[in-house]
């Protein structure tokens, strides 16, 4: 069983929003529950939706591969399709915008992780152009962090997510 401390810190992905990502148009977001079934004709975006979920997981849990010199974000974007993640009807340069809403399992507030991935052209590696973690239903001033603020202070490269290396960065800043 889980302890009270573990359950207090648990958040569940409840909604995914996507803009300019392949053929997946989720401008208003797709609400998720504990069990989700995706049914539709070929080419309707089912696999692309699963790809976004795998991307979130892979870019968060995988750290920099020192041997190959690639970050978890770079590996996750490569698996997602690299520069081909941009909707074919959108001209470059453009951002693929993803948002993930997490709700707590207790009385704590939920939060939203916003991510903009810049696609410059087919030959340039994609980079993080914006990354924000904020409490749900709060004004922008209440952001936990933004790439603009935190990234400048830490010189974080644009090929790595702040969220995936947050504890390491805090540790470095406290030394």
């Amino acid at each position: 069983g889980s302890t009270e401390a573990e359950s207090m810190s648990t958040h569940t992905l409840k909604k995914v929003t996507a803009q300019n990502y392949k053929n997946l148009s989720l401008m208003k977001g797709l609400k998720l529950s504990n069990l989700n079934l995706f049914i539709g004709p070929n080419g309707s975006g089912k696999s692309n939706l699963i790809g976004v979920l795998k991307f979130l997981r892979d870019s968060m849990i995988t750290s920099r591969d020192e041997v190959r010199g690639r970050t978890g974000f770079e590996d996750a974007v490569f698996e997602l399709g690299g520069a081909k993640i941009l909707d074919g009807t959108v001209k470059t340069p453009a951002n693929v915008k993803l948002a993930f809403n997490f709700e707590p399992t207790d009385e704590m507030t939920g939060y939203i992780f916003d991510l903009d991935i810049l696609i410059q052209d087919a030959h340039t590696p994609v980079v993080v152009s914006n990354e924000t973690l904020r409490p749900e239903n709060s004004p922008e001033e209440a952001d936990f962090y933004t790439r603009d603020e935190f990234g400048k202070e830490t010189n974080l490269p644009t090929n790595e997510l702040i969220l995936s290396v947050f504890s390491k960065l805090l540790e470095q800043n406290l030394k």
Side-chain angles (χ1 to χ4, degrees):
S2 65
T3 67
E4 187 176 331
E6 287 173 330
S7 67
M8 288 179 61
S9 64
T10 302
H11 284 72
T12 304
L13 181 61
K14 289 294 183 179
K15 185 177 175 184
V16 176
T17 307
Q19 179 183 355
N20 296 337
Y21 172 67
K22 295 186 179 182
N23 69 337
L24 194 61
S25 181
L26 300 174
M27 301 288 284
K28 294 182 181 180
L30 175 67
K31 291 185 178 182
L32 302 171
S33 61
N34 291 338
L35 176 64
N36 301 279
L37 301 174
F38 304 116
I39 301 170
N42 290 344
S44 63
K46 300 178 302 294
S47 296
N48 290 335
L49 176 59
I50 298 299
V52 167
L53 299 174
K54 286 173 64 178
F55 164 79
L56 176 65
R57 180 200 65 198
D58 293 348
S59 61
M60 294 297 160
I61 63 172
T62 309
S63 60
R64 178 181 287 278
D65 182 342
E66 299 297 336
V67 175
R68 293 181 307 144
R70 283 177 46 154
T71 64
F73 170 77
E74 288 173 313
D75 283 340
V77 164
F78 176 79
E79 289 296 319
L80 200 58
K84 294 178 184 173
I85 65 173
L86 185 64
D87 181 333
T89 64
V90 177
K91 292 184 180 180
T92 57
N95 279 303
V96 170
K97 297 177 175 283
L98 303 173
F100 304 93
N101 296 52
F102 295 89
E103 290 183 3
T105 55
D106 55 19
E107 295 81 37
M108 295 177 64
T109 187
Y111 59 91
I112 300 171
F113 176 58
D114 292 306
L115 179 64
D116 293 355
I117 304 170
L118 177 62
I119 315 306
Q120 296 170 17
D121 57 52
H123 309 291
T124 306
V126 302
V127 295
V128 178
S129 62
N130 182 43
E131 179 182 357
T132 305
L133 184 65
R134 59 189 165 90
E136 202 167 36
N137 303 320
S138 296
E140 282 188 24
E141 309 84 62
D143 290 345
F144 293 132
Y145 77 86
T146 65
R147 176 164 282 276
D148 287 344
E149 295 169 6
F150 201 81
K152 286 177 185 171
E153 294 174 18
T154 59
N155 295 319
L156 185 71
T158 56
N159 65 346
E160 198 158 24
L161 295 181
I162 294 172
L163 196 56
S164 67
V165 295
F166 205 68
S167 60
K168 188 188 311 181
L169 291 172
L170 287 174
E171 200 174 280
Q172 290 172 355
N173 285 340
L174 294 175
K175 288 182 180 177

Short mmCIF file of all heavy atoms in Angstrom, two decimals, residues 36-77:
data_model
loop_
_atom_site.label_atom_id
_atom_site.label_comp_id
_atom_site.label_asym_id
_atom_site.label_seq_id
_atom_site.Cartn_x
_atom_site.Cartn_y
_atom_site.Cartn_z
N ASN A 36 -8.85 4.93 -20.64
CA ASN A 36 -9.21 5.66 -21.85
C ASN A 36 -9.12 4.73 -23.05
O ASN A 36 -8.14 4.00 -23.20
CB ASN A 36 -8.25 6.85 -22.06
CG ASN A 36 -8.29 7.80 -20.88
OD1 ASN A 36 -9.17 8.63 -20.79
ND2 ASN A 36 -7.34 7.65 -19.97
N LEU A 37 -10.13 4.76 -23.88
CA LEU A 37 -10.15 3.98 -25.12
C LEU A 37 -10.16 4.97 -26.28
O LEU A 37 -10.97 5.89 -26.30
CB LEU A 37 -11.39 3.09 -25.19
CG LEU A 37 -11.56 2.08 -24.06
CD1 LEU A 37 -12.90 1.36 -24.19
CD2 LEU A 37 -10.42 1.09 -24.06
N PHE A 38 -9.27 4.76 -27.23
CA PHE A 38 -9.20 5.63 -28.39
C PHE A 38 -9.64 4.83 -29.61
O PHE A 38 -8.96 3.90 -30.02
CB PHE A 38 -7.77 6.17 -28.58
CG PHE A 38 -7.26 6.89 -27.36
CD1 PHE A 38 -6.17 6.39 -26.66
CD2 PHE A 38 -7.88 8.04 -26.90
CE1 PHE A 38 -5.71 7.04 -25.53
CE2 PHE A 38 -7.42 8.69 -25.76
CZ PHE A 38 -6.34 8.19 -25.08
N ILE A 39 -10.77 5.20 -30.15
CA ILE A 39 -11.35 4.49 -31.28
C ILE A 39 -11.56 5.50 -32.41
O ILE A 39 -12.07 6.60 -32.19
CB ILE A 39 -12.71 3.85 -30.90
CG1 ILE A 39 -12.50 2.88 -29.74
CG2 ILE A 39 -13.35 3.17 -32.10
CD1 ILE A 39 -13.79 2.38 -29.11
N GLY A 40 -11.17 5.12 -33.61
CA GLY A 40 -11.37 6.00 -34.76
C GLY A 40 -10.76 5.38 -35.99
O GLY A 40 -10.01 4.41 -35.92
N PRO A 41 -11.07 5.97 -37.16
CA PRO A 41 -10.53 5.44 -38.41
C PRO A 41 -9.02 5.65 -38.51
O PRO A 41 -8.46 6.47 -37.78
CB PRO A 41 -11.28 6.23 -39.48
CG PRO A 41 -11.73 7.48 -38.82
CD PRO A 41 -11.93 7.13 -37.37
N ASN A 42 -8.39 4.94 -39.42
CA ASN A 42 -6.97 5.14 -39.69
C ASN A 42 -6.72 6.60 -40.03
O ASN A 42 -7.53 7.23 -40.71
CB ASN A 42 -6.51 4.25 -40.85
CG ASN A 42 -6.49 2.79 -40.47
OD1 ASN A 42 -6.53 2.44 -39.29
ND2 ASN A 42 -6.45 1.94 -41.48
N GLY A 43 -5.62 7.14 -39.52
CA GLY A 43 -5.26 8.52 -39.83
C GLY A 43 -6.00 9.56 -39.01
O GLY A 43 -5.91 10.75 -39.30
N SER A 44 -6.71 9.15 -37.98
CA SER A 44 -7.49 10.12 -37.19
C SER A 44 -6.71 10.70 -36.01
O SER A 44 -7.20 11.60 -35.35
CB SER A 44 -8.80 9.49 -36.70
OG SER A 44 -8.53 8.40 -35.84
N GLY A 45 -5.50 10.17 -35.73
CA GLY A 45 -4.67 10.75 -34.68
C GLY A 45 -4.51 9.91 -33.43
O GLY A 45 -3.90 10.38 -32.46
N LYS A 46 -5.03 8.70 -33.42
CA LYS A 46 -4.92 7.85 -32.22
C LYS A 46 -3.45 7.61 -31.85
O LYS A 46 -3.05 7.81 -30.70
CB LYS A 46 -5.63 6.51 -32.43
CG LYS A 46 -7.11 6.60 -32.73
CD LYS A 46 -7.73 5.24 -32.97
CE LYS A 46 -7.13 4.45 -34.10
NZ LYS A 46 -7.30 4.99 -35.44
N SER A 47 -2.66 7.18 -32.80
CA SER A 47 -1.24 6.91 -32.55
C SER A 47 -0.49 8.19 -32.19
O SER A 47 0.43 8.18 -31.36
CB SER A 47 -0.58 6.26 -33.76
OG SER A 47 -1.16 5.00 -33.99
N ASN A 48 -0.86 9.31 -32.79
CA ASN A 48 -0.22 10.59 -32.47
C ASN A 48 -0.51 11.00 -31.04
O ASN A 48 0.35 11.55 -30.36
CB ASN A 48 -0.64 11.67 -33.45
CG ASN A 48 -0.06 11.43 -34.83
OD1 ASN A 48 0.97 10.78 -34.98
ND2 ASN A 48 -0.72 11.95 -35.85
N LEU A 49 -1.71 10.74 -30.56
CA LEU A 49 -2.05 11.03 -29.17
C LEU A 49 -1.21 10.17 -28.23
O LEU A 49 -0.63 10.67 -27.25
CB LEU A 49 -3.54 10.81 -28.91
CG LEU A 49 -3.99 10.98 -27.47
CD1 LEU A 49 -3.69 12.39 -26.96
CD2 LEU A 49 -5.47 10.68 -27.33
N ILE A 50 -1.11 8.89 -28.52
CA ILE A 50 -0.27 8.00 -27.71
C ILE A 50 1.18 8.48 -27.76
O ILE A 50 1.89 8.48 -26.74
CB ILE A 50 -0.38 6.53 -28.20
CG1 ILE A 50 -1.80 6.02 -28.08
CG2 ILE A 50 0.61 5.64 -27.46
CD1 ILE A 50 -2.38 6.00 -26.68
N GLY A 51 1.62 8.96 -28.92
CA GLY A 51 2.97 9.49 -29.06
C GLY A 51 3.23 10.67 -28.15
O GLY A 51 4.31 10.79 -27.56
N VAL A 52 2.25 11.57 -28.01
CA VAL A 52 2.40 12.73 -27.11
C VAL A 52 2.55 12.26 -25.67
O VAL A 52 3.36 12.79 -24.91
CB VAL A 52 1.19 13.69 -27.26
CG1 VAL A 52 1.16 14.71 -26.14
CG2 VAL A 52 1.24 14.40 -28.59
N LEU A 53 1.77 11.27 -25.28
CA LEU A 53 1.85 10.75 -23.91
C LEU A 53 3.21 10.09 -23.66
O LEU A 53 3.82 10.28 -22.60
CB LEU A 53 0.70 9.79 -23.64
CG LEU A 53 -0.70 10.39 -23.76
CD1 LEU A 53 -1.76 9.31 -23.61
CD2 LEU A 53 -0.92 11.52 -22.78
N LYS A 54 3.69 9.31 -24.62
CA LYS A 54 5.00 8.68 -24.49
C LYS A 54 6.10 9.75 -24.46
O LYS A 54 7.07 9.63 -23.73
CB LYS A 54 5.24 7.71 -25.66
CG LYS A 54 4.44 6.43 -25.53
CD LYS A 54 4.55 5.54 -26.74
CE LYS A 54 5.98 5.06 -26.94
NZ LYS A 54 6.08 4.14 -28.11
N PHE A 55 5.94 10.80 -25.26
CA PHE A 55 6.90 11.90 -25.28
C PHE A 55 7.03 12.53 -23.90
O PHE A 55 8.14 12.76 -23.41
CB PHE A 55 6.49 12.96 -26.31
CG PHE A 55 7.20 14.26 -26.12
CD1 PHE A 55 8.50 14.42 -26.57
CD2 PHE A 55 6.57 15.33 -25.49
CE1 PHE A 55 9.17 15.62 -26.38
CE2 PHE A 55 7.23 16.52 -25.30
CZ PHE A 55 8.53 16.67 -25.74
N LEU A 56 5.88 12.79 -23.27
CA LEU A 56 5.90 13.38 -21.92
C LEU A 56 6.67 12.47 -20.97
O LEU A 56 7.57 12.92 -20.26
CB LEU A 56 4.48 13.62 -21.41
CG LEU A 56 4.38 14.13 -19.98
CD1 LEU A 56 4.99 15.52 -19.86
CD2 LEU A 56 2.92 14.13 -19.53
N ARG A 57 6.33 11.21 -20.97
CA ARG A 57 7.01 10.25 -20.10
C ARG A 57 8.51 10.20 -20.38
O ARG A 57 9.33 10.34 -19.49
CB ARG A 57 6.40 8.87 -20.27
CG ARG A 57 7.07 7.81 -19.38
CD ARG A 57 6.84 6.40 -19.85
NE ARG A 57 7.48 6.20 -21.15
CZ ARG A 57 7.18 5.22 -21.98
NH1 ARG A 57 6.24 4.35 -21.68
NH2 ARG A 57 7.80 5.10 -23.13
N ASP A 58 8.87 10.03 -21.64
CA ASP A 58 10.28 9.84 -22.00
C ASP A 58 11.12 11.09 -21.75
O ASP A 58 12.28 10.99 -21.35
CB ASP A 58 10.41 9.42 -23.46
CG ASP A 58 9.84 8.04 -23.72
OD1 ASP A 58 9.54 7.31 -22.74
OD2 ASP A 58 9.67 7.69 -24.90
N SER A 59 10.55 12.26 -21.99
CA SER A 59 11.34 13.48 -21.79
C SER A 59 11.50 13.82 -20.32
O SER A 59 12.41 14.55 -19.95
CB SER A 59 10.72 14.66 -22.55
OG SER A 59 9.43 14.93 -22.09
N MET A 60 10.65 13.26 -19.47
CA MET A 60 10.75 13.52 -18.03
C MET A 60 11.62 12.51 -17.29
O MET A 60 12.34 12.88 -16.39
CB MET A 60 9.36 13.49 -17.38
CG MET A 60 8.46 14.57 -17.83
SD MET A 60 9.13 16.16 -17.38
CE MET A 60 8.25 17.18 -18.49
N ILE A 61 11.54 11.25 -17.66
CA ILE A 61 12.23 10.24 -16.87
C ILE A 61 13.62 9.89 -17.38
O ILE A 61 14.38 9.25 -16.71
CB ILE A 61 11.40 8.94 -16.75
CG1 ILE A 61 11.18 8.30 -18.11
CG2 ILE A 61 10.09 9.19 -16.04
CD1 ILE A 61 10.54 6.92 -18.03
N THR A 62 13.94 10.33 -18.57
CA THR A 62 15.24 10.01 -19.14
C THR A 62 16.17 11.20 -18.95
O THR A 62 15.81 12.31 -19.29
CB THR A 62 15.10 9.69 -20.64
OG1 THR A 62 14.07 8.72 -20.80
CG2 THR A 62 16.39 9.17 -21.20
N SER A 63 17.35 10.95 -18.42
CA SER A 63 18.30 12.03 -18.23
C SER A 63 19.31 12.04 -19.37
O SER A 63 19.33 11.16 -20.21
CB SER A 63 19.00 11.89 -16.89
OG SER A 63 19.69 10.67 -16.84
N ARG A 64 20.17 13.02 -19.35
CA ARG A 64 21.18 13.19 -20.39
C ARG A 64 22.02 11.93 -20.53
O ARG A 64 22.49 11.37 -19.57
CB ARG A 64 22.06 14.38 -20.05
CG ARG A 64 23.18 14.61 -21.05
CD ARG A 64 24.05 15.78 -20.65
NE ARG A 64 23.38 17.05 -20.86
CZ ARG A 64 23.32 17.67 -22.04
NH1 ARG A 64 23.88 17.13 -23.09
NH2 ARG A 64 22.70 18.81 -22.15
N ASP A 65 22.20 11.52 -21.76
CA ASP A 65 23.06 10.38 -22.08
C ASP A 65 24.44 10.93 -22.39
O ASP A 65 24.69 11.45 -23.47
CB ASP A 65 22.49 9.61 -23.27
CG ASP A 65 23.30 8.37 -23.63
OD1 ASP A 65 24.46 8.27 -23.20
OD2 ASP A 65 22.76 7.52 -24.34
N GLU A 66 25.32 10.86 -21.39
CA GLU A 66 26.65 11.45 -21.53
C GLU A 66 27.46 10.80 -22.65
O GLU A 66 28.27 11.45 -23.29
CB GLU A 66 27.42 11.33 -20.21
CG GLU A 66 26.77 12.07 -19.05
CD GLU A 66 26.69 13.59 -19.25
OE1 GLU A 66 27.50 14.14 -20.03
OE2 GLU A 66 25.81 14.21 -18.64
N VAL A 67 27.24 9.52 -22.89
CA VAL A 67 28.01 8.82 -23.91
C VAL A 67 27.68 9.37 -25.30
O VAL A 67 28.56 9.68 -26.09
CB VAL A 67 27.76 7.29 -23.85
CG1 VAL A 67 28.45 6.58 -24.99
CG2 VAL A 67 28.19 6.74 -22.51
N ARG A 68 26.38 9.49 -25.59
CA ARG A 68 25.97 9.96 -26.91
C ARG A 68 25.82 11.47 -26.95
O ARG A 68 25.68 12.05 -28.02
CB ARG A 68 24.65 9.33 -27.32
CG ARG A 68 24.78 7.83 -27.54
CD ARG A 68 23.46 7.22 -27.97
NE ARG A 68 22.41 7.56 -27.03
CZ ARG A 68 21.16 7.81 -27.36
NH1 ARG A 68 20.78 7.76 -28.60
NH2 ARG A 68 20.27 8.11 -26.45
N GLY A 69 25.80 12.13 -25.80
CA GLY A 69 25.64 13.58 -25.76
C GLY A 69 24.25 14.05 -26.10
O GLY A 69 24.06 15.15 -26.59
N ARG A 70 23.24 13.20 -25.86
CA ARG A 70 21.85 13.57 -26.13
C ARG A 70 21.06 13.61 -24.85
O ARG A 70 21.27 12.82 -23.95
CB ARG A 70 21.20 12.57 -27.09
CG ARG A 70 21.66 12.79 -28.52
CD ARG A 70 21.12 11.81 -29.50
NE ARG A 70 19.70 11.54 -29.40
CZ ARG A 70 18.98 11.13 -30.43
NH1 ARG A 70 19.54 10.98 -31.61
NH2 ARG A 70 17.71 10.85 -30.28
N THR A 71 20.12 14.54 -24.81
CA THR A 71 19.26 14.66 -23.64
C THR A 71 18.03 13.77 -23.80
O THR A 71 17.72 13.31 -24.91
CB THR A 71 18.78 16.12 -23.45
OG1 THR A 71 17.96 16.48 -24.57
CG2 THR A 71 19.96 17.08 -23.34
N GLY A 72 17.32 13.56 -22.69
CA GLY A 72 16.06 12.82 -22.74
C GLY A 72 15.06 13.50 -23.66
O GLY A 72 14.32 12.85 -24.38
N PHE A 73 15.06 14.84 -23.65
CA PHE A 73 14.17 15.60 -24.53
C PHE A 73 14.50 15.31 -25.99
O PHE A 73 13.61 15.06 -26.79
CB PHE A 73 14.28 17.10 -24.24
CG PHE A 73 13.59 17.96 -25.26
CD1 PHE A 73 12.22 18.09 -25.23
CD2 PHE A 73 14.31 18.62 -26.24
CE1 PHE A 73 11.56 18.88 -26.18
CE2 PHE A 73 13.67 19.40 -27.19
CZ PHE A 73 12.29 19.53 -27.16
N GLU A 74 15.79 15.32 -26.33
CA GLU A 74 16.18 15.07 -27.72
C GLU A 74 15.78 13.67 -28.16
O GLU A 74 15.28 13.48 -29.27
CB GLU A 74 17.69 15.27 -27.89
CG GLU A 74 18.10 16.72 -27.82
CD GLU A 74 19.60 16.89 -27.81
OE1 GLU A 74 20.28 16.18 -27.03
OE2 GLU A 74 20.10 17.74 -28.57
N ASP A 75 15.99 12.68 -27.29
CA ASP A 75 15.58 11.32 -27.61
C ASP A 75 14.07 11.23 -27.78
O ASP A 75 13.57 10.58 -28.70
CB ASP A 75 16.03 10.34 -26.52
CG ASP A 75 17.51 10.00 -26.61
OD1 ASP A 75 18.11 10.19 -27.68
OD2 ASP A 75 18.06 9.55 -25.58
N ALA A 76 13.33 11.87 -26.88
CA ALA A 76 11.86 11.83 -26.94
C ALA A 76 11.34 12.51 -28.20
O ALA A 76 10.41 12.00 -28.84
CB ALA A 76 11.27 12.47 -25.69
N VAL A 77 11.92 13.65 -28.57
CA VAL A 77 11.50 14.35 -29.80
C VAL A 77 11.83 13.51 -31.02
O VAL A 77 11.05 13.43 -31.96
CB VAL A 77 12.14 15.75 -29.89
CG1 VAL A 77 12.04 16.31 -31.29
CG2 VAL A 77 11.46 16.69 -28.91
#
